[in-house]
Amino acid sequence: MQNRGHDVTVLTGLPNYPEGEIFEGYGIFKNRKQVINGVKIIRSILLPRGKGSGIRLFANYYSFAFFASIKAFFLGLNNRFDAVIVHEPSPITQYYPALLINKIWKTPVYFWVMDLWPESLSIAGGVKNKFVLNYYTNVIKKFYENAEKILITSKGFRGAINEKGNFDDKIVYFPNWAEDAISEGNKNFPIPELPEGFKVMFAGNIGEAQDLDSIMKAALELKDKKHIQFILVGDGRKMPFVKDFVDHNNLNDTISIMGRFPVEAMSSFFDKADVMLVTLKDDPIFNLTVPAKLQAYMSASKPIVAMLNGEGSENIIDAECGFTVPAGDYVGLSETILKASSLSADELRVVGENSRAYYERYFKMSACISNLESIISK
């Protein structure tokens, strides 16, 4: 957006995910204001999420909402913004600063929904209290009512949103795209040496939604197939579980935990993988979700192995760019990976080319940004 002549300001928080502590180099008096590629970055104070317990997450979410709203008020005094885009992978409380700007200065808000609430709070967060869930149902309904447009990353979100009110005329399908740093990135970016064998790579958030339990069970099924190597690139709340599972089941020979790397390294990692792995838990909310990593995998011309339901699986089948098994089917996943490992390099290359062709048609960044400009200009 900035490169196309728009004046962009980002209001965000002090970085603290996933470790739960404020990153080195940032703080109340450090790097609260930055300019990155011409974009003005304003970082609000917040309480770090710690180990992700309920109380700490609550404090993290609402401290950002409170302090960012104060910051938004003063930003609005000095800048009459034409539009506010709320980027919402989770939580919904980050809508509050945008709500304040809308109420005071009538600035239209475009709500980019990547995570359904309160469904996600119940399923991924484990919250079952009906009072809490009803409270957030009412909160999200007010946000939908306030938004100029509701942008959805998955077509399946439409029904879930309309269950909370008649918002159909506001809803616009607006999918994720892949970073240019991945699709056009440096394949020689320095990364650690990877093990020899058929490399099955999972890249991205290692959290509850990604069903690491089933991935680990599939790896255990393939424990004796030493030529199949699982490569995990990323970090998240489930990483302690993953490390314990690997150690307890003596899987260090077939599972490599690489840790977190900058997006610039992803092109190099992806290039060295034979297939890319995408998974989501078997749950109604996740059946409506298209994981953002799917577009990244496609942009890198990689064959995809998927253990998920719904629209994400349908995209892979439609594109003929990989292999899918139902969510939670770890036995089927292990069998599919074993089958994929028997394919020739030429067969895998054709599947990877299908991935790239589908990405070019539906998920290319330049086309998505043009679409966003069109949505806002209306």
Side-chain angles (χ1 to χ4, degrees), residues 8-43:
V8 181
T9 299
V10 174
L11 176 58
T12 185
L14 292 169
N16 69 113
Y17 181 85
E19 287 90 346
E21 301 297 332
I22 304 299
F23 283 20
E24 185 177 351
Y26 294 88
I28 295 176
F29 304 108
K30 293 181 182 178
N31 279 329
R32 292 280 304 285
K33 294 183 179 180
Q34 296 175 290
V35 177
I36 301 175
N37 297 328
V39 177
K40 294 179 286 294
I41 313 294
I42 310 295
R43 297 189 183 275

Side-chain angles (χ1 to χ4, degrees), residues 260-274:
R260 189 159 47 91
F261 285 81
V263 67
E264 291 79 11
M266 293 304 104
S267 183
S268 188
F269 270 112
F270 288 11
D271 183 58
K272 294 171 178 59
D274 292 292

Side-chain angles (χ1 to χ4, degrees), residues 136-199:
Y136 280 107
T137 297
N138 292 327
V139 169
I140 194 66
K141 182 178 178 180
K142 287 181 171 59
F143 291 165
Y144 290 152
E145 290 171 348
N146 176 261
E148 182 78 13
K149 292 292 180 183
I150 302 167
L151 313 184
I152 57 173
T153 56
S154 170
K155 295 174 183 177
F157 282 8
R158 183 181 293 271
I161 292 172
N162 278 328
E163 286 179 0
K164 300 172 180 65
N166 184 17
F167 302 115
D168 205 59
D169 60 336
K170 291 186 175 187
I171 297 173
V172 179
Y173 176 56
F174 184 69
N176 284 299
W177 59 83
E179 297 274 0
D180 285 345
I182 297 174
S183 57
E184 310 296 340
N186 176 17
K187 295 180 180 179
N188 295 316
F189 191 96
I191 62 172
E193 186 174 350
L194 302 184
E196 294 294 326
F198 185 80
K199 301 177 186 64

Side-chain angles (χ1 to χ4, degrees), residues 275-286:
V275 297
M276 305 299 298
L277 178 61
V278 57
T279 58
L280 281 176
K281 278 188 172 181
D282 182 14
D283 194 276
I285 184 176
F286 298 134

Side-chain angles (χ1 to χ4, degrees), residues 74-376:
F74 288 104
L75 284 173
L77 284 177
N78 300 317
N79 307 272
R80 288 304 172 95
F81 296 104
D82 298 301
V84 177
I85 301 170
V86 177
H87 176 248
E88 185 264 329
S90 211
I92 59 165
T93 48
Q94 57 198 308
Y95 194 97
Y96 282 113
L99 180 64
L100 183 143
I101 291 179
N102 171 264
K103 291 299 185 182
I104 296 177
W105 291 286
K106 307 303 180 185
T107 307
V109 178
Y110 297 84
F111 193 13
W112 191 10
V113 178
M114 298 182 174
D115 204 2
L116 291 172
W117 274 59
E119 294 91 339
S120 181
L121 188 66
S122 172
I123 296 158
V127 175
K128 303 300 180 184
N129 185 292
K130 290 185 178 180
F131 174 81
V132 173
L133 297 177
N134 287 337
Y135 168 77
Y136 280 107
T137 297
N138 292 327
V139 169
I140 194 66
K141 182 178 178 180
K142 287 181 171 59
F143 291 165
Y144 290 152
E145 290 171 348
N146 176 261
E148 182 78 13
K149 292 292 180 183
I150 302 167
L151 313 184
I152 57 173
T153 56
S154 170
K155 295 174 183 177
F157 282 8
R158 183 181 293 271
I161 292 172
N162 278 328
E163 286 179 0
K164 300 172 180 65
N166 184 17
F167 302 115
D168 205 59
D169 60 336
K170 291 186 175 187
I171 297 173
V172 179
Y173 176 56
F174 184 69
N176 284 299
W177 59 83
E179 297 274 0
D180 285 345
I182 297 174
S183 57
E184 310 296 340
N186 176 17
K187 295 180 180 179
N188 295 316
F189 191 96
I191 62 172
E193 186 174 350
L194 302 184
E196 294 294 326
F198 185 80
K199 301 177 186 64
V200 181
M201 183 173 292
F202 178 99
N205 184 39
I206 297 177
E208 291 290 342
Q210 286 72 36
D211 196 7
L212 272 298
D213 303 65
S214 293
I215 294 176
M216 291 297 101
K217 290 177 182 177
L220 189 59
E221 291 282 319
L222 296 168
K223 181 178 180 179
D224 296 331
K225 309 296 182 182
K226 301 296 184 182
H227 67 289
I228 295 179
Q229 295 288 323
F230 287 81
I231 315 293
L232 306 183
V233 182
D235 203 350
R237 293 174 64 185
K238 289 289 284 188
M239 184 55 81
F241 158 78
V242 170
K243 290 179 177 178
D244 288 346
F245 192 97
V246 170
D247 291 340
H248 182 74
N249 293 283
N250 298 315
L251 293 174
N252 292 286
D253 290 341
T254 55
I255 299 179
S256 297
I257 300 172
M258 310 307 297
R260 189 159 47 91
F261 285 81
V263 67
E264 291 79 11
M266 293 304 104
S267 183
S268 188
F269 270 112
F270 288 11
D271 183 58
K272 294 171 178 59
D274 292 292
V275 297
M276 305 299 298
L277 178 61
V278 57
T279 58
L280 281 176
K281 278 188 172 181
D282 182 14
D283 194 276
I285 184 176
F286 298 134
N287 294 346
L288 303 177
T289 301
V290 179
K293 62 167 59 70
L294 183 61
Q295 286 91 334
Y297 292 173
M298 287 180 169
S299 76
S301 304
K302 303 305 297 187
I304 299 169
V305 174
M307 182 176 60
L308 47 73
N309 299 331
E311 193 170 333
S313 177
E314 291 166 8
N315 283 346
I316 294 169
I317 294 170
D318 187 38
E320 298 182 349
C321 67
F323 319 90
T324 70
V325 299
D329 183 6
Y330 68 89
V331 174
L333 177 62
S334 65
E335 292 172 348
T336 298
I337 290 171
L338 190 60
K339 179 181 177 181
S341 71
S342 68
L343 298 179
S344 68
D346 285 341
E347 288 173 314
L348 289 173
R349 178 181 51 78
V350 170
V351 177
E353 289 174 351
N354 291 344
S355 274
R356 178 70 187 199
Y358 201 82
Y359 157 78
E360 291 279 354
R361 184 175 180 184
Y362 295 107
F363 303 129
K364 195 169 177 62
M365 184 179 184
S366 59
C368 290
I369 297 300
S370 294
N371 186 21
L372 182 59
E373 286 182 306
S374 175
I375 293 168
I376 291 176

